[in-house]
Amino acid sequence: MRILVTGSDGFIGKNLVESLKNIRDGKDLRHMIRKCAIPAHLEIMECTGDSPDELLDRYCKTADFVFCLAGTNRSQQAEAFIEGNTMSVAKVLELLKRHGRNTTVMYASSIQASLTGRYEGSFYGESKKQGEDLVRRYGEETGAATLIYRFVNVFGKWCRPDCHSVIATFCSHIAREEPIRVDDPKTQLRLIYIDDLIEELLQALDGRPSGSESGYAMVKPEYQASIEEIVALLYRFHDIRQGGCLPSLEEQSFEKKLYATYISYLPQEDLLYPLMTHMDERGSFTELIRTMTGGQFSVNITRPGITKGGHWHHTKTEKFVVVSGRARIQLKKIVANADGQSDAAIDYHVSGEKIEVVDIPPGYLHAITNEGDRDLITLMWCDECFDQEKPDTFCR
């Protein structure tokens, strides 16, 4: 299957091409699970604004599917929009017709092509609307299938700041602690995430687009947020990262996708950052990650022969996972049973040779002893972040 992608060096184009390469190279496990009909023997034909006309002509001669993603969205001249958004797709369609192809064409339009409300009089929107009309006419003349998407604001990795997306601009500047400009904080944005958009395009390639609304193909889910809400979230991401904390990352939430976007704009020199480690003669304890709703993760290093712990919690629950070395994890219920008898202590002997989890329930005295001759490394999860004022930790 030969797939032509125009604008392959753009924001959407880069993400699409890399996803197609993963399918072609057998690296996309999601694709295998979905059992898509997209064949693995893909030929991905990339065209950019710098590609010679001869190359585009050769690609159009054999293309089985065309993603028209090329476009211009920033210019002071109406002619630049016409050239980038109308003439670019016109050239592709003419070449397809010249070679007698009835190739399926997907066209990336914009909500601005509605030319209503704040988009009225938009040169960009007008150029996209003309592109839509050309694609529809091509479908009518050739009988080929066509898909026109009126994208709202798209956000995600690899988008160029200060050019294509206000979210990319905010992410880049906030990550670098540079000032941002907000003209109207109450402005509501309709938003789609790049991975959701690419998933839809792959479904369209597979002949299973999600559906249409008023004649336009759709990308779901769509989110809505004000500029001030987006800015507040981004500044929170910046601030909590300083304390090694993660925000709420509920599946398919806008916050999760915005956080992934923000992290992708961090300067490379800031991707590495130190952690606070508490050390003494017994070993060390380091908090790795704090979460807003899922507790904290830590790593505990215990010297040979040393026992740590010997305390219990009213409400806290924990999980211990030994990843290196040999340990005895001892649990003992601190109160007697209904018959007045106390349970004996339970010893769990675990090691990094077989990764296992030991649950630490509330009300159990617990301790961990290094039974080996080298440092014991244990990953620990607690269902709440440690609070010095409410430690919920009691010794016996």
Side-chain angles (χ1 to χ4, degrees), residues 280-283 301-308 328 368-372 376:
D280 58 27
E281 67 281 356
R282 301 173 304 157
I301 297 178
T302 308
R303 305 297 184 208
I306 296 295
T307 296
K308 287 185 176 182
R328 180 189 70 189
I368 183 168
T369 300
N370 184 346
E371 296 186 307
L376 172 70

Side-chain angles (χ1 to χ4, degrees), residues 9-25:
D9 58 343
F11 169 38
I12 298 174
K14 289 177 183 176
N15 280 273
L16 176 61
V17 166
E18 291 306 316
S19 292
L20 290 171
K21 288 179 180 177
N22 285 338
I23 294 173
R24 180 195 64 190
D25 299 339

Side-chain angles (χ1 to χ4, degrees), residues 96 136 151 160 189 248 350:
L96 291 174
R136 285 199 179 89
F151 294 143
R160 196 166 73 187
L189 298 181
S248 174
V350 291

Side-chain angles (χ1 to χ4, degrees), residues 117-338:
R118 61 193 180 104
Y119 305 130
E120 187 175 355
S122 164
F123 291 134
Y124 172 70
E126 178 60 38
S127 65
K128 283 294 188 181
K129 179 65 170 62
Q130 292 179 25
E132 293 178 2
D133 294 340
L134 290 172
V135 172
R136 285 199 179 89
R137 193 175 308 130
Y138 160 81
E140 293 167 358
E141 292 174 356
T142 64
T146 59
L147 290 163
I148 300 173
Y149 289 85
R150 281 188 170 179
F151 294 143
V152 295
N153 295 276
V154 186
F155 69 100
K157 66 184 182 301
W158 303 339
C159 185
R160 196 166 73 187
D162 301 306
C163 182
H164 296 145
S165 162
V166 67
I167 288 184
T169 301
F170 287 163
C171 285
S172 178
H173 285 256
I174 290 173
R176 289 161 177 76
E177 300 185 344
E178 298 170 351
I180 63 172
R181 172 182 168 181
V182 178
D183 294 325
D184 184 358
K186 300 299 183 182
T187 298
Q188 293 285 323
L189 298 181
R190 295 171 60 187
L191 300 148
I192 52 177
Y193 183 54
I194 186 63
D195 283 7
D196 297 325
L197 188 159
I198 298 304
E199 181 70 17
E200 168 60 26
L201 296 187
L202 293 178
Q203 287 184 198
L205 180 62
D206 194 37
R208 301 179 297 108
S210 294
S212 62
E213 186 175 288
S214 302
Y216 297 96
M218 298 183 298
V219 176
K220 297 293 182 180
E222 182 179 305
Y223 304 94
Q224 185 162 317
S226 68
I227 294 289
E228 65 180 351
E229 289 171 333
I230 294 167
V231 168
L233 276 173
L234 293 175
Y235 274 119
R236 183 154 69 89
F237 296 160
H238 171 274
D239 294 342
I240 63 176
R241 184 171 178 269
Q242 309 305 311
C245 192
L246 293 176
S248 174
L249 299 175
E250 184 179 348
E251 191 65 27
Q252 287 297 321
S253 68
F254 173 65
E255 186 167 350
K256 173 182 171 67
K257 295 170 182 178
L258 185 65
Y259 180 72
T261 303
Y262 171 74
I263 290 295
S264 75
Y265 286 90
L266 288 172
Q268 291 184 6
E269 60 270 20
D270 290 344
L271 295 178
L272 174 70
Y273 60 96
L275 296 171
M276 176 68 73
T277 297
H278 305 277
M279 300 185 67
D280 58 27
E281 67 281 356
R282 301 173 304 157
S284 66
F285 181 82
T286 307
E287 288 185 8
L288 300 179
I289 297 172
R290 288 180 164 234
T291 72
M292 303 297 286
T293 57
Q296 74 177 43
F297 297 83
S298 307
V299 61
N300 185 63
I301 297 178
T302 308
R303 305 297 184 208
I306 296 295
T307 296
K308 287 185 176 182
H311 57 249
W312 61 279
H313 311 296
H314 274 300
T315 302
K316 278 184 185 178
T317 66
E318 297 176 292
K319 293 180 183 287
F320 290 0
V321 181
V322 169
V323 296
S324 181
R326 295 187 295 111
R328 180 189 70 189
I329 299 175
Q330 186 175 80
L331 301 180
K332 188 178 190 309
K333 190 181 293 185
I334 66 166
V335 298
N337 296 322

